[in-house]
PDB file of all heavy atoms in Angstrom:
ATOM      1  N   ILE H   1     -90.408  24.189-129.640  1.00 91.00           N
ATOM      2  CA  ILE H   1     -91.811  23.830-129.696  1.00 91.00           C
ATOM      3  C   ILE H   1     -92.545  24.778-130.677  1.00 91.00           C
ATOM      4  O   ILE H   1     -93.324  24.412-131.559  1.00 91.00           O
ATOM      5  CB  ILE H   1     -92.478  23.860-128.363  1.00 91.00           C
ATOM      6  CG1 ILE H   1     -91.931  22.614-127.591  1.00 91.00           C
ATOM      7  CG2 ILE H   1     -93.962  23.825-128.395  1.00 91.00           C
ATOM      8  CD1 ILE H   1     -92.282  22.662-125.990  1.00 91.00           C
ATOM      9  N   VAL H   2     -92.226  26.139-130.497  1.00 93.00           N
ATOM     10  CA  VAL H   2     -92.800  27.101-131.433  1.00 93.00           C
ATOM     11  C   VAL H   2     -92.426  26.840-132.913  1.00 93.00           C
ATOM     12  O   VAL H   2     -93.297  26.871-133.767  1.00 93.00           O
ATOM     13  CB  VAL H   2     -92.426  28.547-130.967  1.00 93.00           C
ATOM     14  CG1 VAL H   2     -92.823  29.530-131.976  1.00 93.00           C
ATOM     15  CG2 VAL H   2     -93.003  28.924-129.589  1.00 93.00           C
ATOM     16  N   ALA H   3     -91.191  26.534-133.115  1.00 90.00           N
ATOM     17  CA  ALA H   3     -90.693  26.328-134.453  1.00 90.00           C
ATOM     18  C   ALA H   3     -91.502  25.067-134.994  1.00 90.00           C
ATOM     19  O   ALA H   3     -91.802  25.077-136.191  1.00 90.00           O
ATOM     20  CB  ALA H   3     -89.216  26.065-134.488  1.00 90.00           C
ATOM     21  N   ALA H   4     -91.661  23.969-134.214  1.00 89.00           N
ATOM     22  CA  ALA H   4     -92.259  22.803-134.697  1.00 89.00           C
ATOM     23  C   ALA H   4     -93.774  23.127-135.012  1.00 89.00           C
ATOM     24  O   ALA H   4     -94.318  22.636-135.960  1.00 89.00           O
ATOM     25  CB  ALA H   4     -92.242  21.775-133.576  1.00 89.00           C
ATOM     26  N   LEU H   5     -94.437  23.925-134.130  1.00 89.00           N
ATOM     27  CA  LEU H   5     -95.842  24.246-134.419  1.00 89.00           C
ATOM     28  C   LEU H   5     -95.897  25.139-135.675  1.00 89.00           C
ATOM     29  O   LEU H   5     -96.895  24.946-136.527  1.00 89.00           O
ATOM     30  CB  LEU H   5     -96.344  25.029-133.172  1.00 89.00           C
ATOM     31  CG  LEU H   5     -96.680  24.267-131.921  1.00 89.00           C
ATOM     32  CD1 LEU H   5     -97.062  25.202-130.715  1.00 89.00           C
ATOM     33  CD2 LEU H   5     -97.593  23.124-132.194  1.00 89.00           C
ATOM     34  N   VAL H   6     -95.003  26.058-135.893  1.00 90.00           N
ATOM     35  CA  VAL H   6     -95.080  26.816-137.161  1.00 90.00           C
ATOM     36  C   VAL H   6     -94.950  25.980-138.394  1.00 90.00           C
ATOM     37  O   VAL H   6     -95.551  26.026-139.362  1.00 90.00           O
ATOM     38  CB  VAL H   6     -94.051  27.933-137.089  1.00 90.00           C
ATOM     39  CG1 VAL H   6     -93.785  28.556-138.505  1.00 90.00           C
ATOM     40  CG2 VAL H   6     -94.331  28.979-136.107  1.00 90.00           C
ATOM     41  N   LEU H   7     -93.932  24.979-138.351  1.00 86.00           N
ATOM     42  CA  LEU H   7     -93.736  24.096-139.463  1.00 86.00           C
ATOM     43  C   LEU H   7     -94.951  23.224-139.679  1.00 86.00           C
ATOM     44  O   LEU H   7     -95.342  22.917-140.756  1.00 86.00           O
ATOM     45  CB  LEU H   7     -92.577  23.222-139.212  1.00 86.00           C
ATOM     46  CG  LEU H   7     -91.272  23.843-139.402  1.00 86.00           C
ATOM     47  CD1 LEU H   7     -90.067  22.953-138.988  1.00 86.00           C
ATOM     48  CD2 LEU H   7     -91.051  24.194-140.842  1.00 86.00           C
ATOM     49  N   VAL H   8     -95.590  22.708-138.615  1.00 83.00           N
ATOM     50  CA  VAL H   8     -96.825  21.892-138.749  1.00 83.00           C
ATOM     51  C   VAL H   8     -97.929  22.755-139.372  1.00 83.00           C
ATOM     52  O   VAL H   8     -98.690  22.264-140.269  1.00 83.00           O
ATOM     53  CB  VAL H   8     -97.201  21.286-137.428  1.00 83.00           C
ATOM     54  CG1 VAL H   8     -98.653  20.687-137.502  1.00 83.00           C
ATOM     55  CG2 VAL H   8     -96.364  20.301-136.882  1.00 83.00           C
ATOM     56  N   PHE H   9     -98.097  23.988-139.007  1.00 85.00           N
ATOM     57  CA  PHE H   9     -99.088  24.944-139.573  1.00 85.00           C
ATOM     58  C   PHE H   9     -98.792  25.086-141.015  1.00 85.00           C
ATOM     59  O   PHE H   9     -99.717  24.977-141.899  1.00 85.00           O
ATOM     60  CB  PHE H   9     -99.133  26.240-138.778  1.00 85.00           C
ATOM     61  CG  PHE H   9    -100.027  27.276-139.443  1.00 85.00           C
ATOM     62  CD1 PHE H   9    -101.372  27.140-139.219  1.00 85.00           C
ATOM     63  CD2 PHE H   9     -99.632  28.242-140.160  1.00 85.00           C
ATOM     64  CE1 PHE H   9    -102.256  28.025-139.610  1.00 85.00           C
ATOM     65  CE2 PHE H   9    -100.525  29.182-140.754  1.00 85.00           C
ATOM     66  CZ  PHE H   9    -101.807  29.074-140.536  1.00 85.00           C
ATOM     67  N   ILE H  10     -97.555  25.294-141.354  1.00 82.00           N
ATOM     68  CA  ILE H  10     -97.203  25.499-142.808  1.00 82.00           C
ATOM     69  C   ILE H  10     -97.469  24.272-143.639  1.00 82.00           C
ATOM     70  O   ILE H  10     -98.020  24.299-144.690  1.00 82.00           O
ATOM     71  CB  ILE H  10     -95.650  25.941-142.913  1.00 82.00           C
ATOM     72  CG1 ILE H  10     -95.574  27.354-142.443  1.00 82.00           C
ATOM     73  CG2 ILE H  10     -95.290  25.771-144.411  1.00 82.00           C
ATOM     74  CD1 ILE H  10     -94.038  27.733-142.327  1.00 82.00           C
ATOM     75  N   MET H  11     -97.205  23.092-143.044  1.00 79.00           N
ATOM     76  CA  MET H  11     -97.581  21.780-143.699  1.00 79.00           C
ATOM     77  C   MET H  11     -99.006  21.632-143.952  1.00 79.00           C
ATOM     78  O   MET H  11     -99.499  21.289-145.004  1.00 79.00           O
ATOM     79  CB  MET H  11     -97.038  20.641-142.918  1.00 79.00           C
ATOM     80  CG  MET H  11     -95.522  20.588-142.839  1.00 79.00           C
ATOM     81  SD  MET H  11     -94.821  19.907-144.201  1.00 79.00           S
ATOM     82  CE  MET H  11     -93.251  19.553-143.693  1.00 79.00           C
ATOM     83  N   VAL H  12     -99.870  22.032-142.878  1.00 77.00           N
ATOM     84  CA  VAL H  12    -101.311  21.842-143.068  1.00 77.00           C
ATOM     85  C   VAL H  12    -101.745  22.788-144.106  1.00 77.00           C
ATOM     86  O   VAL H  12    -102.559  22.400-144.902  1.00 77.00           O
ATOM     87  CB  VAL H  12    -101.970  22.138-141.655  1.00 77.00           C
ATOM     88  CG1 VAL H  12    -103.476  22.202-141.792  1.00 77.00           C
ATOM     89  CG2 VAL H  12    -101.624  20.910-140.738  1.00 77.00           C
ATOM     90  N   VAL H  13    -101.341  23.995-144.098  1.00 77.00           N
ATOM     91  CA  VAL H  13    -101.768  25.007-145.087  1.00 77.00           C
ATOM     92  C   VAL H  13    -101.316  24.536-146.522  1.00 77.00           C
ATOM     93  O   VAL H  13    -102.037  24.639-147.519  1.00 77.00           O
ATOM     94  CB  VAL H  13    -101.160  26.388-144.765  1.00 77.00           C
ATOM     95  CG1 VAL H  13    -101.472  27.423-145.940  1.00 77.00           C
ATOM     96  CG2 VAL H  13    -101.838  26.985-143.564  1.00 77.00           C
ATOM     97  N   GLY H  14    -100.053  23.998-146.577  1.00 72.00           N
ATOM     98  CA  GLY H  14     -99.584  23.431-147.804  1.00 72.00           C
ATOM     99  C   GLY H  14    -100.457  22.191-148.309  1.00 72.00           C
ATOM    100  O   GLY H  14    -100.588  22.114-149.512  1.00 72.00           O
ATOM    101  N   ASN H  15    -100.916  21.454-147.406  1.00 71.00           N
ATOM    102  CA  ASN H  15    -101.767  20.398-147.865  1.00 71.00           C
ATOM    103  C   ASN H  15    -103.111  20.757-148.362  1.00 71.00           C
ATOM    104  O   ASN H  15    -103.598  20.185-149.289  1.00 71.00           O
ATOM    105  CB  ASN H  15    -102.095  19.509-146.474  1.00 71.00           C
ATOM    106  CG  ASN H  15    -102.944  18.235-146.799  1.00 71.00           C
ATOM    107  OD1 ASN H  15    -102.650  17.658-147.846  1.00 71.00           O
ATOM    108  ND2 ASN H  15    -103.701  17.838-145.870  1.00 71.00           N
ATOM    109  N   ILE H  16    -103.618  21.934-147.839  1.00 70.00           N
ATOM    110  CA  ILE H  16    -104.827  22.450-148.405  1.00 70.00           C
ATOM    111  C   ILE H  16    -104.685  22.978-149.852  1.00 70.00           C
ATOM    112  O   ILE H  16    -105.470  22.748-150.747  1.00 70.00           O
ATOM    113  CB  ILE H  16    -105.434  23.511-147.512  1.00 70.00           C
ATOM    114  CG1 ILE H  16    -105.888  22.997-146.159  1.00 70.00           C
ATOM    115  CG2 ILE H  16    -106.580  24.308-148.156  1.00 70.00           C
ATOM    116  CD1 ILE H  16    -106.239  24.022-145.159  1.00 70.00           C
ATOM    117  N   ALA H  17    -103.399  23.620-149.943  1.00 67.00           N
ATOM    118  CA  ALA H  17    -103.151  24.211-151.292  1.00 67.00           C
ATOM    119  C   ALA H  17    -102.816  23.198-152.306  1.00 67.00           C
ATOM    120  O   ALA H  17    -103.055  23.394-153.572  1.00 67.00           O
ATOM    121  CB  ALA H  17    -101.955  25.269-151.178  1.00 67.00           C
ATOM    122  N   ILE H  18    -102.126  22.174-151.934  1.00 71.00           N
ATOM    123  CA  ILE H  18    -101.608  21.032-152.890  1.00 71.00           C
ATOM    124  C   ILE H  18    -102.440  19.782-152.536  1.00 71.00           C
ATOM    125  O   ILE H  18    -102.207  19.169-151.605  1.00 71.00           O
ATOM    126  CB  ILE H  18    -100.133  20.901-152.787  1.00 71.00           C
ATOM    127  CG1 ILE H  18     -99.433  22.271-153.124  1.00 71.00           C
ATOM    128  CG2 ILE H  18     -99.756  19.757-153.811  1.00 71.00           C
ATOM    129  CD1 ILE H  18     -98.012  22.122-152.768  1.00 71.00           C
ATOM    130  N   PRO H  19    -103.299  19.362-153.408  1.00 67.00           N
ATOM    131  CA  PRO H  19    -104.098  18.146-153.136  1.00 67.00           C
ATOM    132  C   PRO H  19    -103.143  16.885-153.211  1.00 67.00           C
ATOM    133  O   PRO H  19    -102.044  16.941-153.755  1.00 67.00           O
ATOM    134  CB  PRO H  19    -104.977  17.973-154.230  1.00 67.00           C
ATOM    135  CG  PRO H  19    -105.035  19.254-155.001  1.00 67.00           C
ATOM    136  CD  PRO H  19    -103.769  19.968-154.633  1.00 67.00           C
ATOM    137  N   PHE H  20    -103.383  15.789-152.528  1.00 70.00           N
ATOM    138  CA  PHE H  20    -102.631  14.549-152.370  1.00 70.00           C
ATOM    139  C   PHE H  20    -101.337  14.692-151.684  1.00 70.00           C
ATOM    140  O   PHE H  20    -100.432  13.951-151.924  1.00 70.00           O
ATOM    141  CB  PHE H  20    -102.496  13.906-153.888  1.00 70.00           C
ATOM    142  CG  PHE H  20    -103.750  13.791-154.585  1.00 70.00           C
ATOM    143  CD1 PHE H  20    -103.874  14.655-155.696  1.00 70.00           C
ATOM    144  CD2 PHE H  20    -104.697  12.859-154.177  1.00 70.00           C
ATOM    145  CE1 PHE H  20    -105.103  14.439-156.492  1.00 70.00           C
ATOM    146  CE2 PHE H  20    -105.898  12.827-154.959  1.00 70.00           C
ATOM    147  CZ  PHE H  20    -106.098  13.570-156.123  1.00 70.00           C
ATOM    148  N   PHE H  21    -101.227  15.716-150.945  1.00 71.00           N
ATOM    149  CA  PHE H  21    -100.034  16.037-150.212  1.00 71.00           C
ATOM    150  C   PHE H  21    -100.103  15.495-148.736  1.00 71.00           C
ATOM    151  O   PHE H  21     -99.188  15.481-147.952  1.00 71.00           O
ATOM    152  CB  PHE H  21     -99.611  17.540-150.256  1.00 71.00           C
ATOM    153  CG  PHE H  21     -98.322  17.949-149.740  1.00 71.00           C
ATOM    154  CD1 PHE H  21     -97.161  17.424-150.251  1.00 71.00           C
ATOM    155  CD2 PHE H  21     -98.246  18.855-148.774  1.00 71.00           C
ATOM    156  CE1 PHE H  21     -96.003  17.795-149.849  1.00 71.00           C
ATOM    157  CE2 PHE H  21     -96.958  19.197-148.254  1.00 71.00           C
ATOM    158  CZ  PHE H  21     -95.862  18.683-148.877  1.00 71.00           C
ATOM    159  N   GLY H  22    -101.383  15.133-148.398  1.00 73.00           N
ATOM    160  CA  GLY H  22    -101.643  14.747-146.980  1.00 73.00           C
ATOM    161  C   GLY H  22    -100.825  13.623-146.332  1.00 73.00           C
ATOM    162  O   GLY H  22    -100.370  13.753-145.270  1.00 73.00           O
ATOM    163  N   PHE H  23    -100.643  12.592-147.140  1.00 76.00           N
ATOM    164  CA  PHE H  23     -99.734  11.453-146.551  1.00 76.00           C
ATOM    165  C   PHE H  23     -98.400  12.005-146.180  1.00 76.00           C
ATOM    166  O   PHE H  23     -97.796  11.657-145.170  1.00 76.00           O
ATOM    167  CB  PHE H  23     -99.676  10.195-147.500  1.00 76.00           C
ATOM    168  CG  PHE H  23     -98.867   9.148-147.037  1.00 76.00           C
ATOM    169  CD1 PHE H  23     -99.333   8.376-145.928  1.00 76.00           C
ATOM    170  CD2 PHE H  23     -97.665   8.895-147.524  1.00 76.00           C
ATOM    171  CE1 PHE H  23     -98.640   7.335-145.521  1.00 76.00           C
ATOM    172  CE2 PHE H  23     -96.830   7.869-147.097  1.00 76.00           C
ATOM    173  CZ  PHE H  23     -97.363   7.099-145.992  1.00 76.00           C
ATOM    174  N   PHE H  24     -97.774  12.764-147.120  1.00 79.00           N
ATOM    175  CA  PHE H  24     -96.433  13.280-146.756  1.00 79.00           C
ATOM    176  C   PHE H  24     -96.363  14.256-145.542  1.00 79.00           C
ATOM    177  O   PHE H  24     -95.507  14.255-144.750  1.00 79.00           O
ATOM    178  CB  PHE H  24     -95.767  14.034-148.017  1.00 79.00           C
ATOM    179  CG  PHE H  24     -95.525  13.103-149.103  1.00 79.00           C
ATOM    180  CD1 PHE H  24     -96.406  13.258-150.300  1.00 79.00           C
ATOM    181  CD2 PHE H  24     -94.633  12.136-149.039  1.00 79.00           C
ATOM    182  CE1 PHE H  24     -96.166  12.355-151.354  1.00 79.00           C
ATOM    183  CE2 PHE H  24     -94.373  11.232-150.175  1.00 79.00           C
ATOM    184  CZ  PHE H  24     -95.167  11.366-151.288  1.00 79.00           C
ATOM    185  N   VAL H  25     -97.481  14.982-145.400  1.00 79.00           N
ATOM    186  CA  VAL H  25     -97.604  15.944-144.366  1.00 79.00           C
ATOM    187  C   VAL H  25     -97.656  15.107-143.037  1.00 79.00           C
ATOM    188  O   VAL H  25     -96.997  15.460-142.049  1.00 79.00           O
ATOM    189  CB  VAL H  25     -98.811  16.824-144.415  1.00 79.00           C
ATOM    190  CG1 VAL H  25     -99.124  17.589-143.158  1.00 79.00           C
ATOM    191  CG2 VAL H  25     -98.663  17.866-145.573  1.00 79.00           C
ATOM    192  N   PHE H  26     -98.483  14.092-143.103  1.00 81.00           N
ATOM    193  CA  PHE H  26     -98.562  13.247-141.811  1.00 81.00           C
ATOM    194  C   PHE H  26     -97.190  12.645-141.436  1.00 81.00           C
ATOM    195  O   PHE H  26     -96.847  12.609-140.361  1.00 81.00           O
ATOM    196  CB  PHE H  26     -99.606  12.045-142.068  1.00 81.00           C
ATOM    197  CG  PHE H  26     -99.618  11.121-141.002  1.00 81.00           C
ATOM    198  CD1 PHE H  26    -100.328  11.435-139.767  1.00 81.00           C
ATOM    199  CD2 PHE H  26     -99.026   9.840-141.018  1.00 81.00           C
ATOM    200  CE1 PHE H  26    -100.357  10.554-138.757  1.00 81.00           C
ATOM    201  CE2 PHE H  26     -99.140   8.975-140.029  1.00 81.00           C
ATOM    202  CZ  PHE H  26     -99.813   9.219-138.848  1.00 81.00           C
ATOM    203  N   ILE H  27     -96.458  11.998-142.423  1.00 85.00           N
ATOM    204  CA  ILE H  27     -95.224  11.448-142.131  1.00 85.00           C
ATOM    205  C   ILE H  27     -94.175  12.472-141.610  1.00 85.00           C
ATOM    206  O   ILE H  27     -93.501  12.167-140.737  1.00 85.00           O
ATOM    207  CB  ILE H  27     -94.592  10.728-143.476  1.00 85.00           C
ATOM    208  CG1 ILE H  27     -95.497   9.575-143.835  1.00 85.00           C
ATOM    209  CG2 ILE H  27     -93.155  10.334-143.256  1.00 85.00           C
ATOM    210  CD1 ILE H  27     -95.582   8.407-142.877  1.00 85.00           C
ATOM    211  N   ILE H  28     -94.137  13.643-142.310  1.00 84.00           N
ATOM    212  CA  ILE H  28     -93.234  14.735-141.770  1.00 84.00           C
ATOM    213  C   ILE H  28     -93.576  15.156-140.517  1.00 84.00           C
ATOM    214  O   ILE H  28     -92.709  15.439-139.654  1.00 84.00           O
ATOM    215  CB  ILE H  28     -93.220  15.846-142.923  1.00 84.00           C
ATOM    216  CG1 ILE H  28     -92.562  15.359-144.211  1.00 84.00           C
ATOM    217  CG2 ILE H  28     -92.439  17.055-142.372  1.00 84.00           C
ATOM    218  CD1 ILE H  28     -92.631  16.300-145.409  1.00 84.00           C
ATOM    219  N   CYS H  29     -94.808  15.397-140.266  1.00 84.00           N
ATOM    220  CA  CYS H  29     -95.296  15.808-138.806  1.00 84.00           C
ATOM    221  C   CYS H  29     -94.928  14.828-137.783  1.00 84.00           C
ATOM    222  O   CYS H  29     -94.485  15.225-136.685  1.00 84.00           O
ATOM    223  CB  CYS H  29     -96.728  16.200-138.809  1.00 84.00           C
ATOM    224  SG  CYS H  29     -97.233  17.702-139.765  1.00 84.00           S
ATOM    225  N   ALA H  30     -95.117  13.506-138.066  1.00 88.00           N
ATOM    226  CA  ALA H  30     -94.768  12.530-137.027  1.00 88.00           C
ATOM    227  C   ALA H  30     -93.315  12.518-136.876  1.00 88.00           C
ATOM    228  O   ALA H  30     -92.833  12.414-135.705  1.00 88.00           O
ATOM    229  CB  ALA H  30     -95.267  11.120-137.625  1.00 88.00           C
TER     230      ALA H  30
END
């Protein structure tokens, strides 16, 4: 659970840094 939360946090931060990355973040998080 902790590892998954860290990965989701990294994805969200990556989404902020790289525009148009949101759809991939959503699919990967799901």
